[in-house]
Amino acid sequence: MKNQLEILKIAFGSQSFSSREATSVGVSRFSLSKYVKMGEIERVARSTYILPSYDPGDDFHFFDMAMIVKSNKNAVLCLVSALSYWGLTDLIPREIWIAIPNNIKSPKTASNRLRIIRPRDIKTGIIKQQISSEIIKITDRERSICEAFKYLGLESATTCLRMYLQQDAENIKFS
């Protein structure tokens, strides 16, 4: 049993991994469950695990968001969560906002802080970004602001737009 834990350490080191990825390197789901009970690995989301050596990097306060999005291959971090990541809101993200396609079932998660939207277009304005040492899908700054006008109140959306314009003004260099 100990050599399976070594296999996980060699294969994933300081990265998160899914149960599917663990079985692809020869570690059974039963072994994963046993290692979680022993405290050798930690289950952070549905079928997503980390080793004690996991380093979330500088974005550690976005760790939960990244793990929820990574645990569902169709999920995209959006709205208040994305706006918060881009520094475009003064709202405190009390929920993790994700977008998923209409034909996909809602993800099962232990978190009751999940807010799901189902936009018609799930491809435009979606980028891959490294957050907490994970590559996840997130709405870009512009799409996040557009969605704010659709899903949030006018005052919140206007504040986001104002913060976006201030960020852009700071980045303009005059020659």
Side-chain angles (χ1 to χ4, degrees):
M1 180 84 80
K2 196 69 169 171
N3 63 3
Q4 287 190 345
L5 185 59
E6 293 301 320
I7 291 171
L8 289 174
K9 287 179 181 177
I10 292 169
F12 304 108
S14 62
Q15 300 173 344
S16 67
F17 57 93
S18 67
S19 54
R20 179 175 288 157
E21 291 169 331
T23 55
S24 73
V25 295
V27 179
S28 68
R29 292 175 193 258
F30 174 77
S31 296
L32 289 175
S33 177
K34 189 164 188 166
Y35 288 136
V36 168
K37 288 178 185 171
M38 291 170 48
E40 297 289 337
I41 62 174
E42 183 181 346
R43 182 176 182 245
V44 292
R46 185 172 188 257
S47 80
T48 305
Y49 302 88
I50 59 172
L51 291 162
S53 60
Y54 181 83
D55 180 22
D58 295 337
D59 299 332
F60 65 90
H61 48 283
F62 294 107
F63 174 75
D64 290 340
M65 293 179 195
M67 289 300 117
I68 292 292
V69 173
K70 184 171 182 186
S71 69
N72 185 327
K73 66 179 179 181
N74 298 303
V76 177
L77 195 66
C78 66
L79 274 165
V80 177
S81 299
L83 290 166
S84 176
Y85 176 76
W86 297 120
L88 297 174
T89 186
D90 53 3
L91 298 173
I92 298 170
R94 291 186 170 82
E95 299 170 308
I96 299 170
W97 289 73
I98 63 169
I100 57 174
N102 286 325
N103 58 349
I104 302 296
K105 288 173 57 174
S106 295
K108 294 178 184 174
T109 179
S111 175
N112 59 355
R113 302 179 322 132
L114 194 62
R115 185 79 176 263
I116 299 171
I117 64 166
R118 296 179 180 271
R120 288 183 183 169
D121 179 14
I122 198 78
K123 293 186 181 351
T124 305
I126 307 298
I127 61 171
K128 290 189 177 184
Q129 182 75 19
Q130 183 171 353
I131 301 174
S132 287
S133 301
E134 302 296 332
I135 304 291
I136 65 165
K137 292 185 281 186
I138 183 171
T139 54
D140 63 16
R141 296 177 340 142
E142 293 77 14
R143 178 168 178 164
S144 299
I145 291 170
C146 292
E147 286 181 342
F149 279 98
K150 183 174 182 181
Y151 293 100
L152 304 177
L154 183 61
E155 184 178 337
S156 296
T158 306
T159 301
C160 295
L161 180 59
R162 190 174 298 122
M163 292 174 86
Y164 172 77
L165 294 173
Q166 286 174 347
Q167 280 183 0
D168 276 0
E170 291 170 4
N171 292 333
I172 296 174
K173 294 191 168 86
F174 296 101
S175 37

